[in-house]
Amino acid sequence: MSTLTRFLGDSPFRVILKLLVVSFLVGLVMNAFGWSPSDVIYGIQKFFIDLWNLGFHAIDRFLGYILLGAAIVVPAFILIRIANYRK
């Protein structure tokens, strides 16, 4: 088995034939949906940008919840500590 055949997983001719068939089918589906390669690239880019922004929004909300809870918990903790300190 040659290095190229081992790398490709099959003979070069069969790999090219498989790639042509799959490319044709993917092209058919993309044409049916009206997609172009630039639409796919833009969609992937938009997905990662939205994921990035959503991640920071989630962190912002998480920190907001912590601060909101701390506004009640920290004073209550201090009052409880002061009350127990007198005993």
Side-chain angles (χ1 to χ4, degrees), residues 45-58:
Q45 181 185 23
K46 185 178 178 319
F47 169 75
F48 282 109
I49 289 171
D50 290 345
L51 188 65
W52 180 267
N53 292 335
L54 179 65
F56 282 116
H57 182 67

Side-chain angles (χ1 to χ4, degrees), residues 7-81:
F7 174 74
L8 295 175
D10 208 349
S11 69
F13 177 74
R14 287 179 56 114
V15 171
I16 290 172
L17 187 62
K18 290 176 187 178
L19 288 173
L20 284 173
V21 170
V22 171
S23 296
F24 174 74
L25 293 175
V26 169
L28 219 85
V29 170
M30 287 179 66
N31 187 38
F33 285 111
W35 295 340
S36 69
S38 61
D39 291 336
V40 173
I41 291 171
Y42 175 73
I44 292 170
Q45 181 185 23
K46 185 178 178 319
F47 169 75
F48 282 109
I49 289 171
D50 290 345
L51 188 65
W52 180 267
N53 292 335
L54 179 65
F56 282 116
H57 182 67
I59 291 171
D60 182 45
R61 286 181 53 196
F62 178 73
L63 292 177
Y65 292 148
I66 289 176
L67 291 175
L68 186 63
I72 301 298
V73 171
V74 171
F77 173 76
I78 292 172
L79 289 175
I80 291 170
R81 294 300 294 171

